[in-house]
Amino acid sequence: MIQYASGNSSLRRVVKPHGGGSREGTMSTDIAKGKRADRGLHPYVLYLRERYPDYGKWAEQQGVPVVSGHHLEDCRTEPLQPWPAKGGQGILINLSDQAVDDAYLIEIEPGGSLQPERHLYEELMFVVSGSGSAAVWNDDGQRVQFEWQPGSLFGMPINAHHQLFNGNGQKPARLLGVTSAPLAINLFHNLDFVFNCSFAFDDRFDGRADYFGGEKTFRDEVLSGLWETNFVPDVRQMELRDQADRGKGQTIFLALAASTMKVHLARFPTGTYKKAHAHGPGAHIYVLDGEGYTLMWKPGGERQRFDWHEGSLISPPNGWYHQHFNTGDRAAHYLALHRPQVIYNKHGSNQIEYEDEDPAIRREYEAELARRGIALQMGARGTKEAKRAAGKSKASREERAGVHPYVTYLKNRHYSYQKFQEEEGIPVVKGYAVEDVSAVELKPWARMGGRGSFINLSEQEMDDAYVVEIEPGGNLEPQGNLFEEIVYVTRGRGATKIWQPGCDAIHFEWQQGSLFTIPLNARYQHFNGSGDEPATLLAVTSAPLMINLFHSRKFIFDCPYVFSDRFEGTYEELMRDPRFLAEVPGGLFEANFIPDVGRVAMNEWSERGFALKHVYIALAANVMKVHLAEFAVGTYKKAHMHGPGAHILILNGTGYSLMWKPGDQPQRFDWKPGSFISPPGGWYHQHFNTGPIPVFHLAFHRPQSIHSTTARDQLEYEDEDPAVRQLFEAELRRNGAESRMPPVMRQSA
């Protein structure tokens, strides 16, 4: 039964990833002690990784070393080991703890071949050495073959069968692959689905004979230009175009095999260096020619130097500044392979202009050139001309306003969540907060069968929300979808029918305050249990991420795969008694259905604030996180920031939230029961109780398989701006209330 409340690194290293799932009812001591021992991961992410199959466990099963750190010195000579699953010699490369993409090296013996494979993650291949051929085919028997050589670059169409062959009987062939395997495996935690799904993406691979013929189409809407192609015979020979936004040099973008993974080539002259910049995770930089070094540093941290030459591979951590320096006697040339561009795309890049950088950076570079007898080719720092150029560069970046033009290109060229919303034909509520979800405009929703509205706050692209109303005595249309969906009943009562193909449907009843999930890709239908009053449901889903990642409506809504590991189709399984795990900091319930969230017991948990109660809820093996929290009269929570995709529903109490982008002034949002708030990714947010009763809220979060390696940035009470507490106390006085907050001990200046 539900438990009810009774009342009140900078060094390169080669490792084998740890694995091992938890036994029933137990969690690791790292989780129990609240440690962030596993690369700064949130305890909920640690819970998911112990509980279910994940990329780390899969990597361990491969039986090859995993290279970690931030830098691999030479892909051409890095030692490899037998990789039986691949059929060659290889290693996995997981630099900078990347959680959205990875890399690997694979070597094919002379005259040999690798094992055939297919998978639901994207894969870009670069030929480091050797020559050979590849075969790509679909289940209809359409087969295409093409030859590759050193410098060739190609994309494997998602979920198409493929196999690589060494065309030389005397020498091995070595290739570098960059894939979105970590994202795909951690999203679904089902290896059978990732590697054996039968769905054919005909829009990505149609089996035509010239698919890898090297034909390309130029698009000029992406910065210095973009080539659409499936195969580049030799990237080292591609013509680049001048692009000074990042510093002297040339660049070009590539879109391969309709992939969402971004590729660009860049070249910059001897005696020059690029501007420092920071962005999201998942960039892998392979040096094609030249030599130099890269500085990387966490904002506020010490700079670390990594020397490179032809064959080196570099991967900056998420949010770290990085800056590339050419110390050789010829232009430096590199290939950059990036994560899927459907995530981390709202913040653009944070670039430091030359005149704003630490002067020691240029002094170090000039000294390095002097030691090598190479002349500096950079302009003077801080001149009026440089500042005018910087101002123009800054303006152009601001015009791109956080969304990289490559992302805009993807949305215009392929099926996207935005197009899906347009097709649905219902209103889309935007902004940062909704005053009352029960008052949003609803319109007829043909696919669902009721009246509805999307809620897409803070331009979230990990998850979204919708409200749907069922007329008295009515029902919605049957549904099934390949995104996670968590449902809260805001009004009325009713029932839901859920079934898997070949199984009898099961029914359960719900009421206002109930919380439940739809198991991934199961069929379901909602019914209103009242003949007099409408019923209203609020759902938060991972639809934006899934639609933009696979850009296929057919895959999302018509994939036949049955996730029996999440739901086998029995009533006993769906309605099983919740299991409480006190070992997870803040407490966690495993459940599929909560009859009334208002009666769920919570733990005292001071990490996020004074007099705070809290509990996590893990629903139907979802990777989306849910938590309940309550904070007392006259108190407020600590300011904190994290990745995108948090939606907060106020269930009880009144107050306000402050939200602000670092460096900007806070914006205030007042709330009451029914208010819905969503802080943008990377913004601080802080919640204040100014009413006469405790505040109780329900928070829905994005899939926890992404944005998981960056620890949350929290401001302790003593570190916050004193004006924050002054505003809160003034608000309490206006309401005739008193503060219960403990005094703050601040360090004197």
Side-chain angles (χ1 to χ4, degrees):
M1 297 294 292
I2 294 178
Q3 180 182 2
Y4 290 117
S6 58
N8 24 273
S9 115
S10 65
L11 296 179
R12 176 191 176 276
R13 50 202 163 88
V14 178
V15 301
K16 290 204 174 181
H18 71 276
S22 64
R23 292 184 292 275
E24 186 71 18
T26 63
M27 291 286 111
S28 75
T29 55
D30 281 345
I31 297 179
K33 295 178 181 179
K35 293 182 179 179
R36 301 257 174 97
D38 191 354
R39 305 178 309 213
L41 298 181
H42 189 285
Y44 192 91
V45 177
L46 290 175
Y47 156 78
L48 287 175
R49 294 192 173 186
E50 289 212 358
R51 196 86 179 123
Y52 304 110
D54 79 320
Y55 175 76
K57 297 188 185 80
W58 173 82
E60 185 177 24
Q61 293 170 4
Q62 303 309 296
V64 294
V66 178
V67 176
S68 61
H70 303 308
H71 165 257
L72 195 158
E73 183 180 357
D74 199 334
C75 291
R76 301 169 301 175
T77 59
E78 182 72 18
L80 309 178
Q81 292 188 17
W83 194 343
K86 285 279 192 183
Q89 301 270 330
I91 56 170
L92 282 164
I93 303 170
N94 188 237
L95 300 180
S96 297
D97 294 331
Q98 300 293 2
V100 290
D101 60 357
D102 71 347
Y104 69 89
L105 285 170
I106 191 70
E107 193 170 88
I108 314 172
E109 66 181 3
S113 62
L114 300 183
Q115 296 289 346
E117 59 182 71
R118 74 184 306 183
H119 40 69
L120 275 171
Y121 53 79
E122 297 181 334
E123 184 173 30
L124 304 173
M125 302 293 299
F126 172 74
V127 182
V128 176
S129 62
S131 59
S133 64
V136 182
W137 66 97
N138 57 28
D139 288 332
D140 293 333
Q142 295 170 304
R143 185 181 180 94
V144 177
Q145 288 192 249
F146 63 96
E147 295 183 349
W148 41 260
Q149 63 185 359
S152 291
L153 177 71
F154 50 93
M156 287 301 183
I158 191 168
N159 216 36
H161 300 274
H162 54 274
Q163 188 174 17
L164 299 178
F165 303 85
N166 187 346
N168 188 311
Q170 305 300 318
K171 296 181 180 180
R174 180 175 288 212
L175 296 93
L176 170 70
V178 176
T179 84
S180 60
L183 176 60
I185 293 173
N186 290 340
L187 268 178
F188 297 110
H189 56 73
N190 182 314
L191 297 180
D192 182 67
F193 178 65
V194 172
F195 291 99
N196 295 310
C197 177
S198 61
F199 186 88
F201 290 83
D202 298 330
D203 57 324
R204 300 219 198 181
F205 177 64
D206 54 13
R208 54 188 166 86
D210 62 348
Y211 185 88
F212 291 100
E215 295 182 0
K216 55 186 187 291
T217 302
F218 186 75
R219 307 285 179 186
D220 62 3
E221 63 262 36
V222 180
L223 295 176
S224 58
L226 176 145
W227 286 106
E228 288 178 346
T229 186
N230 300 320
F231 175 72
V232 180
D234 190 344
V235 295
R236 300 168 299 183
Q237 305 303 317
M238 287 201 75
E239 181 179 352
L240 310 185
R241 302 178 77 189
D242 289 340
Q243 171 55 244
D245 187 61
R246 195 71 86 212
K248 286 184 180 180
Q250 303 83 38
T251 189
I252 199 78
F253 288 87
L254 297 169
L256 294 163
S259 172
T260 62
M261 296 180 73
K262 183 178 73 177
V263 180
H264 81 265
L265 291 160
R267 183 186 294 114
F268 59 109
T270 183
T272 69
Y273 63 91
K274 309 286 277 186
K275 297 175 185 177
H277 61 286
H279 48 62
H284 291 80
I285 302 162
Y286 180 86
V287 181
L288 298 168
D289 193 19
E291 60 181 314
Y293 63 90
T294 291
L295 296 180
M296 297 196 292
W297 66 97
K298 185 177 181 180
E302 294 292 325
R303 292 189 291 268
Q304 302 176 42
R305 173 172 167 163
F306 301 89
D307 293 339
W308 45 256
H309 52 73
E310 181 183 349
S312 296
L313 185 69
I314 308 158
S315 185
N318 178 27
W320 281 36
Y321 283 102
H322 47 285
Q323 191 166 18
H324 312 305
F325 300 78
N326 184 350
T327 60
D329 58 3
R330 59 189 184 276
H333 193 188
Y334 64 78
L335 167 68
L337 308 164
H338 298 260
R339 70 190 183 274
Q341 294 298 291
V342 298
I343 57 178
Y344 290 87
N345 62 24
K346 284 295 177 188
H347 307 293
S349 63
N350 188 6
Q351 182 166 286
I352 300 175
E353 300 300 324
Y354 292 128
E355 64 271 17
D356 297 325
E357 71 187 13
D358 184 343
I361 288 176
R362 181 164 294 195
R363 290 198 298 267
E364 178 186 344
Y365 180 61
E366 291 173 342
E368 186 71 32
L369 292 183
R371 283 192 291 271
R372 296 168 178 257
I374 296 173
L376 178 71
Q377 301 296 324
M378 302 289 294
R381 292 182 69 253
T383 64
K384 293 181 180 179
E385 291 76 15
K387 289 185 177 180
R388 280 199 297 268
K392 182 178 179 181
S393 175
K394 182 178 181 181
S396 68
R397 289 196 308 279
E398 290 174 347
E399 288 170 2
R400 297 199 295 272
V403 177
H404 194 285
Y406 191 92
V407 177
T408 303
Y409 156 80
L410 285 176
K411 291 182 177 181
N412 290 336
R413 295 292 297 169
H414 302 295
Y415 191 74
S416 68
Y417 179 68
Q418 180 178 336
K419 292 178 182 176
F420 164 73
Q421 284 185 318
E422 293 170 356
E423 292 174 353
E424 296 296 279
I426 59 173
V428 180
V429 178
K430 295 183 178 292
Y432 299 113
V434 173
E435 184 179 2
D436 189 345
V437 292
S438 68
V440 299
E441 179 188 15
L442 305 178
K443 288 190 175 181
W445 193 352
R447 179 177 64 85
M448 291 291 285
R451 296 196 311 138
S453 176
F454 287 115
I455 302 177
N456 188 229
L457 301 180
S458 298
E459 298 183 332
Q460 300 291 4
E461 293 197 327
M462 300 295 101
D463 54 2
D464 74 343
Y466 69 82
V467 174
V468 65
E469 181 185 85
I470 315 172
E471 65 180 3
N475 58 266
L476 302 184
E477 294 294 326
Q479 303 293 323
N481 40 257
L482 204 56
F483 50 78
E484 295 184 347
E485 190 165 8
I486 300 172
V487 180
Y488 176 76
V489 183
T490 62
R491 179 186 181 189
R493 60 182 177 84
T496 293
K497 176 173 69 173
I498 299 180
W499 69 97
Q500 297 282 32
C503 298
D504 293 335
I506 65 168
H507 300 73
F508 62 91
E509 296 182 351
W510 39 257
Q511 61 187 354
Q512 183 174 336
S514 293
L515 180 73
F516 59 93
T517 192
I518 305 299
L520 188 66
N521 217 33
R523 304 296 297 176
Y524 67 95
Q525 188 173 18
H526 300 308
F527 300 82
N528 187 344
S530 169
D532 302 316
E533 299 288 337
T536 308
L537 308 176
L538 170 69
V540 178
T541 84
S542 60
L545 172 63
M546 301 306 295
I547 292 174
N548 288 338
L549 186 62
F550 294 101
H551 53 76
S552 168
R553 181 172 183 131
K554 182 180 178 183
F555 178 63
I556 297 300
F557 291 101
D558 297 317
C559 178
Y561 191 87
V562 175
F563 288 85
S564 57
D565 57 322
R566 299 209 189 193
F567 176 56
E568 293 182 348
T570 67
Y571 180 86
E572 292 75 18
E573 176 193 12
L574 188 70
M575 306 302 290
R576 73 178 190 269
D577 288 342
R579 186 170 70 114
F580 184 71
L581 297 174
E583 300 90 347
V584 177
L588 182 144
F589 272 115
E590 289 183 337
N592 297 325
F593 176 70
I594 305 292
D596 184 353
V597 296
R599 299 188 64 195
V600 175
M602 289 178 286
N603 285 359
E604 298 282 350
W605 196 41
S606 61
E607 178 178 324
R608 185 66 84 226
F610 175 70
L612 176 70
K613 295 181 180 180
H614 176 281
V615 71
Y616 292 110
I617 302 176
L619 294 161
N622 282 343
V623 295
M624 292 181 69
K625 182 178 71 176
V626 178
H627 80 261
L628 290 166
E630 179 183 277
F631 54 110
V633 173
T635 69
Y636 64 92
K637 298 175 71 174
K638 298 175 184 177
H640 61 286
M641 62 183 287
H642 46 60
H647 292 81
I648 302 160
L649 177 66
I650 305 299
L651 301 176
N652 212 357
T654 54
Y656 64 92
S657 291
L658 296 180
M659 298 196 295
W660 68 98
K661 185 178 181 180
D664 290 352
Q665 290 297 312
Q667 301 179 46
R668 173 172 168 166
F669 300 89
D670 292 339
W671 39 254
K672 61 183 181 180
S675 295
F676 200 46
I677 310 159
S678 184
W683 281 36
Y684 282 103
H685 46 284
Q686 191 167 14
H687 313 303
F688 301 79
N689 183 352
T690 60
I693 61 174
V695 169
F696 183 42
H697 70 71
L698 170 64
F700 309 81
H701 298 262
R702 69 189 182 276
Q704 295 298 292
S705 52
I706 53 180
H707 288 262
S708 61
T709 59
T710 302
R712 297 161 298 167
D713 188 356
Q714 179 167 287
L715 295 179
E716 299 301 321
Y717 292 126
E718 61 268 23
D719 298 323
E720 70 187 13
D721 186 338
V724 168
R725 181 160 295 197
Q726 293 165 8
L727 172 65
F728 177 63
E729 291 173 344
E731 192 70 27
L732 290 179
R733 286 193 296 271
R734 279 192 290 271
N735 293 341
E738 295 183 357
S739 174
R740 290 187 53 200
M741 296 296 295
V744 173
M745 301 299 294
R746 301 184 189 278
Q747 293 183 351
S748 58

